[in-house]
Amino acid sequence: LSLCKHMPLPFLFAAAAQAVDPSLLDVGLAQVAALGQAGRLTPDEEALAVERALGGDAPLLLLAKNFAALPSLETHLRAALQARPPPAGAPAAPPPPLPPPSPPPPADDML
């Protein structure tokens, strides 16, 4: 089983070291390891989660950190793994547009 099918391991370590707080990486990898050891992730899911974590996928790492004690971590982690991460250095997606403003209330003709 190869942990990193798409990027060479030294590149991943370099990217992670530059882009992510080491304590966040530590917590994220610990959660992935715990889920893998418990059999709650398949070997392929575990390998992909490690690859993404070492690649500096901050949303995935924040998810692992903040949902660590919740039973829903596994479900959310799977959903995050199915989503494609943005390319390295890509700007964040813009937020959706705001809805148009509501029309003003009708004027009171009794004044």
Side-chain angles (χ1 to χ4, degrees), residues 7-84:
M7 292 186 230
L9 199 54
F11 171 78
L12 290 172
F13 282 121
Q18 292 176 7
V20 178
D21 175 357
S23 64
L24 183 59
L25 184 59
D26 182 44
V27 170
L29 288 172
Q31 292 306 312
V32 169
L35 288 173
Q37 187 174 23
R40 293 173 57 197
L41 291 178
T42 68
D44 286 341
E45 289 170 333
E46 181 181 352
L48 181 57
V50 168
E51 181 179 327
R52 297 263 298 266
L54 292 176
D57 187 336
L60 182 121
L61 293 169
L62 289 168
L63 174 78
K65 174 187 172 191
N66 290 293
F67 283 80
L70 300 176
S72 58
L73 171 60
E74 179 183 349
T75 302
H76 293 306
L77 186 60
R78 275 203 178 93
L81 291 174
Q82 291 174 359
R84 291 186 165 262

